[in-house]
Amino acid sequence: MSQVQQNTIIPFLRKIVVTVGAGGDLLQFVSDGTPNGLKVTCNISKTVMGIPNPSTVTLYNLSSKTRNAIQKSLSQITVEAGWENTEMHAALRGNVMSCVSERNGPDIVTKLAVLQGYNATVQAVTSKTYAEGMPVKEVVKDLGSQLPGIAVNETLLKEVQGTVGYGGWSFAGQTKDALTQLANEYGFSWTIDDEALRVVGDKAKFSGVVVLDGNEGGLINVSPILNGPMQVQTGVKIKAVYVPGVVPGATVRVRSTLSEGLDGDYRIHTSNYSLDTYSDSWTMDLESFKYM
């Protein structure tokens, strides 16, 4: 590896910053691919369809003191990803569910299991009735306000349409289940991302398109999602270089050099980011489904 002078900014030098803890007790780890950096790998899952699967943040060769400090501060975590000479973007904010350290060959590997909005969705319960004719958006806002620590932003709910139907709408149970039931009935999807409630309409118009091009870079491959004995296409899978801001609910425009028949605009429903500054893993796997 060629040597780089100190304080020199390297174009396109990938960088990950992990911050663990809350309040004044913060632990921060920087991974930049250089010999002096800390090895960090991230596998981050997101979806617009309820609560995502746990994400994994892996830290290598921490001291015993640091590992113990992480164990004592199992609360919040933020993962920022980007490049040395550009603005960093939050790829993950959530709650640390577990911290396990083990030896893997010469390395001590510390794995953090992270879930977005875990504390809020576990704690919040609802027992309410909403009157006939009430805007569904107002119901979503009220349910979201019952999720502790989760922001409810009007601009993130603009795709919610319609009003409560005849007889009103009632629910008793966990608030996350109330949101899922409401979403199924009124045609939207919801998730918690960046500690905020986000809603995507099932038939929302495309806006803010990010281009993934096979010629100019970005797109790695695109393939159909096929289901059933007749192999009916129900969506697409897209693999591309990681682009900050491409999250579930965003729209991408695919321009393939091998599968031109799949070119087009797609609303993203699930995403998985594989980030590692010490390997070629800096990618995102996206899925978009058709509404039948």
Side-chain angles (χ1 to χ4, degrees):
M1 182 179 295
S2 61
Q3 293 185 345
V4 180
Q5 291 183 355
Q6 191 174 5
N7 298 326
T8 299
I9 296 179
I10 305 173
F12 310 117
L13 182 65
R14 294 174 296 178
K15 185 176 181 180
I16 298 172
V17 178
V18 178
T19 306
V20 182
D25 300 323
L26 298 178
L27 296 169
Q28 192 167 83
F29 310 97
V30 178
S31 180
D32 59 7
T34 67
N36 295 325
L38 178 74
K39 181 174 174 61
V40 174
T41 63
C42 304
N43 191 282
I44 300 171
S45 297
K46 295 188 176 185
T47 179
V48 292
M49 298 175 286
I51 302 300
N53 294 323
S55 299
T56 303
V57 178
T58 305
L59 309 169
Y60 287 77
N61 298 319
L62 300 178
S63 68
S64 175
K65 181 179 179 180
T66 302
R67 296 197 304 272
N68 291 335
I70 292 177
Q71 287 280 9
K72 294 178 181 178
S73 62
L74 289 183
S75 54
Q76 297 176 337
I77 183 172
T78 300
V79 176
E80 298 173 280
W83 292 266
E84 182 68 34
N85 57 339
T86 62
E87 181 183 356
M88 299 290 286
H89 295 266
L92 175 67
R93 281 193 177 98
N95 303 107
V96 178
M97 301 172 61
S98 67
C99 173
V100 178
S101 296
E102 59 186 14
R103 184 171 291 281
N104 184 0
D107 297 317
I108 297 176
V109 180
T110 301
K111 293 184 178 181
L112 308 181
V114 181
L115 194 61
Q116 298 177 84
Y118 174 73
N119 290 342
T121 54
V122 167
Q123 295 173 15
V125 294
T126 295
S127 180
K128 297 191 72 171
T129 297
Y130 299 92
E132 176 183 344
M134 185 174 187
V136 177
K137 181 188 294 186
E138 295 303 314
V139 179
V140 174
K141 286 171 61 177
D142 185 61
L143 292 173
S145 69
Q146 299 172 42
L147 299 172
I150 301 303
V152 180
N153 189 326
E154 185 85 24
T155 61
L156 300 179
L157 307 180
K158 61 184 179 181
E159 294 183 2
V160 181
Q161 304 295 326
T163 58
V164 174
Y166 176 76
W169 191 86
S170 300
F171 188 88
Q174 287 192 299
T175 305
K176 65 181 179 65
D177 296 329
L179 284 166
T180 298
Q181 182 174 312
L182 191 70
N184 291 336
E185 294 180 20
Y186 290 95
F188 64 88
S189 300
W190 73 276
T191 191
I192 293 174
D193 184 33
D194 201 10
E195 298 301 295
L197 179 64
R198 295 177 182 268
V199 171
V200 177
D202 289 352
K203 297 182 180 180
K205 295 182 179 180
F206 297 130
S207 62
V209 177
V210 174
V211 176
L212 300 177
D213 192 295
N215 278 317
E216 298 178 6
L219 181 68
I220 297 173
N221 61 61
V222 57
S223 60
I225 298 175
L226 304 174
N227 282 302
M230 302 300 293
Q231 292 293 277
V232 176
Q233 182 181 341
T234 57
V236 296
K237 292 183 178 181
I238 303 164
K239 190 176 189 69
V241 175
Y242 171 67
V243 178
V246 176
V247 297
T251 301
V252 297
R253 178 167 296 158
V254 171
R255 295 175 179 169
S256 175
T257 57
L258 297 176
S259 304
E260 292 90 345
L262 295 176
D263 285 0
D265 291 354
Y266 296 97
R267 172 63 65 90
I268 302 305
H269 296 101
T270 69
S271 62
N272 188 279
Y273 314 112
S274 297
L275 305 178
D276 182 352
T277 61
Y278 289 86
S279 76
D280 293 332
S281 183
W282 195 259
T283 60
M284 56 185 185
D285 291 280
L286 312 172
E287 290 183 325
S288 176
F289 301 101
K290 293 181 178 180
Y291 290 104
M292 308 305 290

